Amino acid sequence: MDAEEFRKRGKEMVDYIADYLSSIDKRRPLADVEPGYIKELVRNEAPVEPDSWEDLMKDIEPIIMKGTTHWHSPHFHAYFPTGNSFPGILGDMLSDAIGCIGFSWASGPSCTELEVVVMNWLGKMLSLPPEFLFSPNGHGGGVIQSTASEVTLTCLLGARTKFIRQIKGDNPNMEDGVIMSKLVCYCSDQAHSSVEKAGLVGAVKLRILESDAKGSFRGATLETAIKTDKANGLVPFFVCATLGTTGCCAFDNIKELGPICEREGIWLHIDAAYAGSSFICPEFRPLLDGVEFAMSFNFNPHKWLQVNFDCSALWVKDSRLLAEAFVVDPLYLKHENEGAMPDYRHWHIPLGRRFRSLKLWFVLRLFGQRKLQQSIVKDVNLAKEFEKLVRADTRFEVTSEVKMALVCFKLKGTNEKNEKLLKLINDDGRIHIVPSTMKGTYYLRFAICASTTTIDHVIFAWNVIQELANKV
Ligand SMILES: *Cc1c(COP(=O)(O)O)cnc(C)c1O
């Protein structure tokens, strides 16, 4: 394919994408295929001679779209949203074209410097404390990583290195392995599974502590666990608090957890993967109060801020603590301007990094802060409308407070009844939702996902649910 053909095919592809996204509501949101379906539809070997563009495009609908779950359908109400927008797609297209591997300032000056700028923009939109932002004399700043999972691991490893060094300072002969065997970190039973994974990969003890009746991680619970662990000779070093849990969108009490972490010298990390986007709205920003106690804060613009996957935003107060965990400096990566700008390879595990700030920049510029705020508020209001519909049907109950664009609800009665309803809904296929459990109770989660969702889609979904509930 030469540039002339690319010009032509590129326009065709843009047309296909525009058609796909503007008629996506006509498709069944959940793919209707069995595992292994694709193997039956494609050749066993890659073609030796090139296929034609036409032949390739002919396969998109019957092979690819047939097995696609349409996350951007306004009938998709499962999990949490994943961002998507035309500006985001276009920004990513340019990033693909530049195709740099911006591990150091020298390997991609614009890649590094735009990221510094947009992470400060975004940090200011959230009113993060200034210690989290890049400033001439500070050590704070933001970095874009792939996922919240990767970020939690990165911060846990930063905290682990900090504690190993501290303890070694007093006990120079102590082996790293011996120190690690004493380290312990904490999260609640509502934290995302990626926190457990970070503990596994980081090879440290993790205590999963009980949340309160609303699913919130409270100070007294942490206090008790720390006391017990210290009495047993262990060293508490890291707490992961969640703002907007995946199960029911509960908020951990960071105003209680924060001062405890500060007193104990524990690294507090805040995972706000989903709900973080809402903090750009003044009415939701109070939910972030207490962030000043944290060492690191993360949310995913690729969830609820119209940015395409992957774009997970992390801010730290002291980036040197990440660098201490991750610096390895072979000669071939060195350059003569080191120190003036961040060399982002020291801020995370991978060396290579995409020009992800471009899509964020496109989204922030072409939407502007006000439109992004309005979109969040619209989604929360739609969730409140859905909540009203649920509450008006006496067969149902709402199981958690609706703070963001997620409604947790169930049929009154047994878990089995609700498992049956969920199966009816997803077999029916007009809408897609997923369940969760809390403290033994099974419930259904209704999330406003696509940014194109309107009140009509919400009413449609509720009608489907009511109709199927008649069959339970
Ligand atoms: C979605 C989510 C995650 C995982 O996000 P990834 O970016 O896919 O790793 C972690 N924590 C919370 C609270 C989430 O909602």
Side-chain angles (χ1 to χ4, degrees):
M1 187 178 288
D2 58 15
E4 277 319 303
E5 190 184 357
F6 175 73
R7 207 182 292 283
K8 179 159 181 270
R9 302 313 185 189
K11 283 168 189 158
E12 288 171 27
M13 184 54 95
V14 167
D15 281 340
Y16 179 83
I17 292 170
D19 289 343
Y20 167 65
L21 287 174
S22 55
S23 63
I24 198 167
D25 58 327
K26 310 280 186 309
R27 296 175 185 260
R28 182 190 151 104
L30 182 61
D32 188 15
V33 289
E34 296 296 324
Y37 88 97
I38 226 168
K39 196 169 172 292
E40 307 302 319
L41 301 174
V42 300
R43 285 170 289 200
N44 278 333
E45 313 289 336
V48 174
E49 299 301 333
D51 277 348
S52 72
W53 170 264
E54 285 76 12
D55 282 346
L56 175 58
M57 285 309 286
K58 258 207 321 264
D59 285 345
I60 301 298
E61 283 297 329
I63 298 179
I64 302 304
M65 289 302 174
K66 183 180 166 58
T68 296
T69 292
H70 302 287
W71 282 68
H72 305 291
S73 160
H75 301 306
F76 180 95
H77 300 291
Y79 315 105
F80 274 141
T82 185
N84 194 0
S85 62
F86 294 121
I89 294 172
L90 292 173
D92 230 4
M93 220 163 139
L94 182 57
S95 160
D96 281 342
I98 294 173
C100 65
I101 307 290
F103 47 77
S104 65
W105 178 85
S107 74
S110 58
C111 177
T112 298
E113 295 199 14
L114 188 68
E115 189 159 329
V116 168
V117 167
V118 293
M119 288 304 287
N120 263 12
W121 279 12
L122 199 54
K124 287 183 201 164
M125 286 165 67
L126 301 176
S127 304
L128 285 182
E131 299 95 296
F132 284 104
L133 305 185
F134 289 101
S135 64
N137 301 313
H139 299 286
V143 59
I144 302 175
Q145 305 204 11
S146 292
T147 61
S149 310
E150 206 178 307
V151 162
T152 304
L153 174 62
T154 301
C155 293
L156 182 141
L157 295 179
R160 192 183 77 175
T161 301
K162 177 173 183 273
F163 273 74
I164 290 175
R165 287 188 176 210
Q166 265 171 22
I167 294 171
K168 265 212 149 112
D170 300 332
N171 313 273
N173 296 325
M174 209 184 246
E175 294 281 345
D176 287 13
V178 174
I179 299 173
M180 275 166 60
S181 72
K182 295 187 185 307
L183 295 179
V184 55
C185 58
Y186 308 90
C187 67
S188 92
D189 52 15
Q190 297 301 305
H192 191 266
S193 57
S194 54
V195 183
E196 195 175 344
K197 201 184 259 188
L200 277 179
V201 178
V204 289
K205 290 181 186 60
L206 169 70
R207 302 256 183 267
I208 299 177
L209 305 175
E210 195 178 352
S211 56
D212 72 7
K214 289 184 166 176
S216 173
F217 184 8
R218 304 295 301 274
T221 312
L222 177 64
E223 193 87 80
T224 308
I226 289 175
K227 204 175 276 175
T228 309
D229 283 332
K230 281 170 77 172
N232 290 323
L234 298 177
V235 181
F237 80 107
F238 182 78
V239 167
C240 181
T242 313
L243 296 180
T245 60
T246 317
C248 69
C249 207
F251 286 73
D252 289 349
N253 195 321
I254 52 174
K255 283 190 198 159
E256 288 177 2
L257 301 172
I260 300 170
C261 292
E262 188 172 69
R263 189 192 71 216
E264 300 288 331
I266 295 172
W267 180 310
L268 173 63
H269 173 67
I270 297 178
D271 170 8
Y274 164 65
S277 295
S278 76
F279 306 149
I280 66 167
C281 305
E283 57 267 60
F284 300 123
R285 176 58 179 75
L287 292 167
L288 185 58
D289 289 352
V291 66
E292 59 277 10
F293 294 108
M295 291 291 285
S296 48
F297 169 77
N298 167 237
F299 89 100
N300 287 351
H302 74 233
K303 274 192 168 155
W304 201 11
L305 208 63
Q306 321 259 5
V307 181
N308 302 68
F309 188 83
D310 57 342
C311 183
S312 187
L314 165 68
W315 288 267
V316 289
K317 279 184 180 160
D318 191 347
S319 63
R320 294 172 302 179
L321 296 175
L322 295 182
E324 281 171 14
F326 300 124
V327 164
V328 279
D329 246 345
L331 185 61
Y332 54 83
L333 297 178
K334 286 190 174 297
H335 59 91
E336 52 189 45
N337 290 305
E338 278 179 3
M341 274 284 157
D343 279 337
Y344 273 129
R345 70 179 182 280
H346 302 317
W347 292 53
H348 49 48
I349 298 164
L351 172 71
R353 55 200 330 273
R354 303 176 61 231
F355 201 157
R356 282 180 291 223
S357 55
L358 264 180
K359 60 188 168 191
L360 187 51
W361 194 52
F362 273 47
V363 166
L364 295 179
R365 289 192 58 186
L366 296 176
F367 280 91
Q369 297 190 43
R370 193 180 332 272
K371 277 229 168 70
L372 291 170
Q373 290 168 335
Q374 285 167 349
S375 177
I376 299 269
V377 170
K378 177 207 76 144
D379 288 351
V380 176
N381 286 340
L382 287 178
K384 302 237 186 235
E385 289 303 318
F386 184 83
E387 179 189 16
K388 274 187 213 152
L389 294 169
V390 177
R391 289 192 189 280
D393 185 332
T394 54
R395 295 174 295 173
F396 286 89
E397 61 188 314
V398 173
T399 58
S400 307
E401 190 185 340
V402 179
K403 285 190 173 155
M404 302 276 108
L406 175 75
V407 183
C408 299
F409 70 106
K410 63 190 279 285
L411 279 169
K412 291 172 184 163
T414 61
N415 288 351
E416 291 68 37
K417 237 170 122 173
N418 285 284
E419 285 167 26
K420 197 162 167 208
L421 176 59
L422 181 90
K423 186 165 169 18
L424 286 171
I425 293 168
N426 287 331
D427 286 351
D428 174 88
R430 279 175 287 171
I431 64 168
H432 180 37
I433 62 176
V434 294
S436 188
T437 60
M438 187 157 105
K439 305 191 192 293
T441 300
Y442 179 101
Y443 57 87
L444 311 187
R445 293 168 78 267
F446 181 87
I448 305 295
C449 290
S451 57
T452 51
T453 311
T454 64
I455 186 67
D456 292 341
H457 299 115
V458 170
I459 293 169
F460 174 85
W462 179 241
N463 287 340
V464 170
I465 294 167
Q466 278 189 314
E467 176 195 318
L468 296 170
N470 291 335
K471 298 191 189 162
V472 174

